[in-house]
Amino acid sequence: MQITVKLFATLRTNRFKAENREYPEGSTVLDVANDLDIPKEELAITMVNGIILEPETVLQDGDTLSIFPPVGGG
Amino acid sequence: MGSVLGKVLRVNLTTGAISTEELSAELSKAFIGGRGLAGKMLADEIPAGIDALSEENKLFFVTGPLTGTAAPTGGRYMVVTKSPLNDVIASSNSGGFWGAELKFAGYDLLVVEGKAKEPVYISIKDDQIEVKPAGHVWGKNTNETTDMLLEEFGDPKARVANIGTAGEQLSRIACIMNDRWRAAGRSGVGAVMGSKNLKAIVVRGTNKVDVADPDKFKETVKEVMQKIKENGVTGQGLPAYGTAVLVNIINEAGIFPTNNFQTGVFNKADEISGEAIAEKYLKKKDPCYRCPIACGRYCVVDGEEGGGPEYETVWAFGSDCGVSDLKAIIKANNACNEVGVDTISAGATIAAAMELAQRGMVKSDELNGGPELTWGNGQAVIEWVKRMGDKEGFGKKLAMGSARLTEAYGAPELSMTVKKLELPAYDPRGLMGHGLQYATANRGGCHVRGYMVSPEILGLPEALDRFSLDGKAEWVKIFQDLTTAIDSSGLCLFTSFAFGADDYANLLTAATGNTYTAEDVLAAGDRGFNVERLFNLQEGYTAADDTLPKRLLEEPMPEGPTKGHVHPLDKLLPKYYEVRGWDAEGVPTEDKKKALGL
């Protein structure tokens, strides 16, 4: 299935900003993170189609997954 | 001796009287210091119903017990006064070095009263205090004024707080700038200085701030420094990208206000993000006094240098005006700092003007030859900020803020304000707790009085469903109380990403010699918050003012991940009043006041 993966802040270093990528059916957020060598502690905020969901969430074809390291501001 | 010096400096500009007095130890303990303490003193000292720009108003420049100590981020001070923007209690927080310097000079706070006949500035060199003529810097921008007064003062280590031309012209969104790039930004506090003919305060202190228990304090500072280092936000995210790292997160959630809150999705967000700033224009980090976080940016664009921009500024001149030109945003930020206007209010007011123009209500022939107010016009945001210090014309109209501007065109519903204060960079239609906090913050539409974005988006201290109403009233109350306490302590609010109430209690106990528990810290915050509420009620505010712009209550978000949502404020407010110990009209009950010792 096709997943649009968007990475932000330090996660872009040596990776990419946004890519359409192919993953097997049933893949979770965590599977994508593992595929991209993103350690779990860097997985601070994960959004699927703009909604914050747990890393265990199973993705659907056509989803947009946005991954942020720990960030904040005001 | 503890870190509270117990000394108030009072300068009356009408009479020229300069005096010092003892700070009430009882008030100091009960309110911690800073925002809470000065709020109580202001409420006690000024009569109800005065014109905020009259001689009767007072300006409190107040530090906290941790200002000027070795506690991380201990450089904060606050300006507390009656706001000329909305007549509520104003309390604008700023960083940099000025606050710590006031403490080194020997004062917990400076109170400025009355009105000078001619432009003046106050010069403080430890116990040598003078009121000096400022006619030669009146009309100068904040950088020129800083340069000239530092030279005159004769000590490059002195620190300058001052107003630009906007404050002189009594712009109700004028700020007070200190250390060139730091601002006591919101609520028009710069206009209060202008109304008193007070251009600047130059301060130099050569004393050290002692703490009550040096060993315990040192040990506690070491502990909390470790927390800042280990926390992902304060240890990595903010140092690397500054506050503008939020641009992409908030946009991905579909709550990045765009075109004056007409939508929450900005397709060019990445072009104006913290990542883009770091890649293209960042020259160095620009930390405040004793700050290990160092979120402050310092950028160079076309040879023009300056501090910032912050997330809020990027948003205000960026997506809120439809602008994706990062260079223009940085230049508009510099212009704000020089003219001396609050970046949030300035950008949001230009955005409101752009919507007035979109609807044909502001016509081109009113613009005195200035740039067209069309969405995305980068040149317009720079040029119109520069004109906010003008004595007449459309720039002068903008400098009155969004509420007065839209009112003048018969379209107040286009003002994205709460209690006339321009809302910041998060659309509450996708943040239920944060929207409640906007509606109830004592200074009006503000994000840093109970930053619910933290649990609702960033997952700190724990993740909350941003669309759920469950428990949000309770969360908002605790966040508001803790924030009041932090604003009273002299530390930066950003420490709260890494600290809990017990950390502030431990630091305050070791520094002041008064014993504070986590409960005491929250109670002091609750007390300070209620003093502000009572001030506002006395000024005629009611529960009806605890609201949000109609657009956010009634028009569903048109697109993106927050599509279809409005903010259901009426479902949250009654519970919030109950949790606060207020009656159904939002008035603190007698029992509540008694419990807080008010």
Side-chain angles (χ1 to χ4, degrees):
Chain A
M1 61 183 179
Q2 280 279 318
I3 303 293
T4 302
V5 182
K6 293 166 124 181
L7 303 177
F8 298 93
T10 44
L11 298 182
R12 288 177 173 178
T13 311
N14 301 324
R15 293 191 189 91
F16 54 86
K17 279 188 186 179
E19 270 184 20
N20 290 318
R21 297 171 72 92
E22 188 67 32
Y23 286 98
E25 293 291 328
S27 294
T28 64
V29 171
L30 207 50
D31 293 333
V32 174
N34 287 337
D35 174 51
L36 296 172
D37 289 325
I38 298 172
K40 192 153 188 204
E41 62 271 18
E42 289 290 298
L43 215 56
I45 305 168
T46 51
M47 291 186 198
V48 179
N49 305 323
I51 303 300
I52 297 166
L53 294 171
E54 295 297 312
E56 290 72 27
T57 304
V58 176
L59 297 165
Q60 306 292 326
D61 185 39
D63 277 349
T64 295
L65 168 63
S66 310
I67 307 179
F68 301 88
V71 287
Chain B
M1 188 177 162
S3 65
V4 177
L5 308 174
K7 205 164 170 187
V8 181
L9 173 62
R10 204 175 276 271
V11 177
N12 187 307
L13 295 175
T14 305
T15 63
I18 295 164
S19 58
T20 56
E21 70 207 36
E22 203 176 311
L23 174 65
S24 156
E26 192 191 339
L27 284 187
S28 172
K29 165 86 166 69
F31 289 91
I32 298 175
R35 174 178 157 197
L37 172 72
K40 170 69 176 157
M41 289 176 71
L42 179 85
D44 287 347
E45 289 189 24
I46 65 167
I50 61 163
D51 177 352
L53 296 178
S54 74
E55 198 175 335
E56 289 174 285
N57 200 3
K58 297 187 183 188
L59 268 167
F60 287 69
F61 295 82
V62 63
T63 67
L66 298 174
T67 310
T69 68
T73 79
R76 311 295 299 192
Y77 78 99
M78 297 205 82
V79 179
V80 176
T81 188
K82 181 173 178 179
S83 164
L85 180 70
N86 54 8
D87 292 316
V88 301
I89 194 160
S91 51
S92 290
N93 189 295
S94 184
F97 298 82
W98 191 92
E101 201 71 25
L102 181 68
K103 199 90 176 268
F104 299 151
Y107 311 99
D108 297 301
L109 69 155
L110 161 68
V111 187
V112 182
E113 308 176 345
K115 177 184 178 175
K117 285 195 183 69
E118 303 288 338
V120 295
Y121 74 96
I122 297 172
S123 165
I124 302 171
K125 195 181 280 181
D126 293 329
D127 54 3
Q128 292 168 258
I129 321 292
E130 287 178 87
V131 177
K132 295 179 148 185
H136 59 307
V137 286
W138 201 255
K140 302 282 183 200
N141 74 37
T142 58
N143 276 326
E144 293 163 344
T145 303
T146 300
D147 288 339
M148 289 170 75
L149 294 185
L150 278 178
E151 202 185 326
E152 201 168 301
F153 196 84
D155 183 346
K157 288 183 176 166
R159 302 288 174 182
V160 180
N162 70 82
I163 56 169
T165 47
E168 293 175 12
Q169 295 301 319
L170 309 182
S171 158
R172 289 170 200 263
I173 58 171
C175 62
I176 298 172
M177 298 300 302
N178 62 275
D179 302 295
R180 297 179 192 275
W181 334 115
R182 293 283 152 193
R186 309 225 68 195
S187 309
V189 293
V192 180
M193 262 181 86
S195 74
K196 298 189 175 307
N197 274 325
L198 177 62
K199 179 68 174 173
I201 302 163
V202 187
V203 59
R204 174 76 178 116
T206 59
N207 305 298
K208 193 176 154 287
V209 177
D210 292 328
V211 292
D213 186 343
D215 290 341
K216 183 73 191 162
F217 189 70
K218 202 172 164 187
E219 186 189 314
T220 313
V221 166
K222 204 174 157 194
E223 270 171 34
V224 297
M225 284 290 279
Q226 194 59 26
K227 289 191 178 184
I228 287 178
K229 201 173 149 194
E230 285 169 3
N231 179 278
V233 175
T234 52
Q236 298 161 44
L238 282 170
Y241 296 103
T243 53
V245 73
L246 284 176
V247 167
N248 279 318
I249 304 179
I250 302 303
N251 190 55
E252 287 296 306
I255 49 174
F256 193 47
T258 299
N259 294 5
N260 199 34
F261 286 77
Q262 291 186 74
T263 179
V265 179
F266 186 53
N267 292 329
K268 294 174 176 173
D270 203 41
E271 294 176 30
I272 61 170
S273 62
E275 290 93 326
I277 293 172
E279 191 186 318
K280 292 179 178 166
Y281 304 114
L282 182 70
K283 186 176 176 187
K284 60 178 182 180
K285 294 181 205 172
D286 188 33
C288 298
Y289 172 84
R290 281 194 184 261
C291 180
I293 306 170
C295 72
R297 308 286 95 179
Y298 188 89
C299 287
V300 183
V301 174
D302 298 337
E304 195 183 293
E305 300 191 16
E310 298 289 338
Y311 167 66
E312 296 294 334
T313 311
V314 166
W315 159 78
F317 295 115
S319 65
D320 204 33
C321 292
V323 171
S324 59
D325 176 356
L326 186 52
K327 273 189 182 185
I329 292 168
I330 295 173
K331 288 179 182 181
N333 177 58
N334 292 339
C336 278
N337 292 347
E338 294 211 322
V339 171
V341 282
D342 172 41
T343 62
I344 297 178
S345 290
T349 303
I350 294 172
M354 285 179 169
E355 188 163 358
L356 287 169
Q358 172 196 326
R359 290 164 187 262
M361 300 167 95
V362 166
K363 309 264 191 320
S364 298
D365 59 7
E366 289 178 69
L367 303 180
N368 327 104
E372 290 292 329
L373 289 162
T374 44
W375 299 117
N377 186 350
Q379 207 49 43
V381 297
I382 303 170
E383 191 57 35
W384 285 113
V385 168
K386 287 184 175 172
R387 295 187 183 203
M388 284 186 184
D390 287 359
K391 290 180 181 164
E392 54 192 23
F394 196 74
K396 173 95 177 165
K397 256 189 193 175
L398 287 171
M400 293 294 108
S402 152
R404 285 174 175 82
L405 177 79
T406 54
E407 183 76 43
Y409 286 90
E413 71 281 4
L414 299 184
S415 176
M416 294 299 118
T417 52
V418 172
K419 301 181 177 80
K420 296 197 184 92
L421 184 68
E422 289 76 9
L423 286 173
Y426 314 86
D427 195 312
R429 285 174 286 192
L431 293 169
M432 300 306 135
H434 201 60
L436 174 63
Q437 133 64 23
Y438 280 162
T440 56
N442 287 319
R443 68 174 178 181
C446 172
H447 61 300
V448 284
R449 291 295 135 99
Y451 190 62
M452 286 295 291
V453 175
S454 192
E456 292 188 314
I457 294 286
L458 307 176
L460 296 169
E462 63 181 89
L464 298 181
D465 179 341
R466 66 191 175 102
F467 293 111
S468 167
L469 307 186
D470 289 347
K472 292 293 171 72
E474 290 86 344
W475 272 86
V476 168
K477 179 195 182 286
I478 287 178
F479 263 48
Q480 288 175 334
D481 290 350
L482 182 61
T483 303
T484 310
I486 297 167
D487 286 345
S488 302
S489 75
L491 295 193
C492 175
L493 183 57
F494 287 177
T495 53
S496 65
F497 288 121
F499 298 178
D502 51 344
D503 293 308
Y504 299 104
N506 294 341
L507 285 167
L508 287 166
T509 300
T512 64
N514 291 323
T515 303
Y516 288 96
T517 61
E519 290 73 28
D520 294 334
V521 166
L522 287 168
D526 196 6
R527 195 172 290 121
F529 194 89
N530 276 276
V531 163
E532 294 173 341
R533 177 73 176 185
L534 290 165
F535 180 99
N536 294 350
L537 292 169
Q538 189 177 279
E539 292 297 325
Y541 276 83
T542 68
D545 299 299
D546 295 336
T547 188
L548 293 170
K550 204 172 154 200
R551 170 170 288 165
L552 310 179
L553 296 172
E554 295 179 8
E555 292 176 26
M557 181 67 86
E559 59 181 324
T562 300
K563 186 177 177 177
H565 288 274
V566 294
H567 192 277
L569 183 64
D570 56 352
K571 294 195 175 74
L572 285 164
L573 260 185
K575 180 71 182 171
Y576 172 81
Y577 288 166
E578 184 192 320
V579 171
R580 273 247 164 255
W582 297 351
D583 67 18
E585 299 304 314
V587 178
T589 60
E590 288 306 317
D591 284 351
K592 178 70 187 181
K593 284 195 273 187
K594 206 170 156 191
L596 292 173
L598 297 174

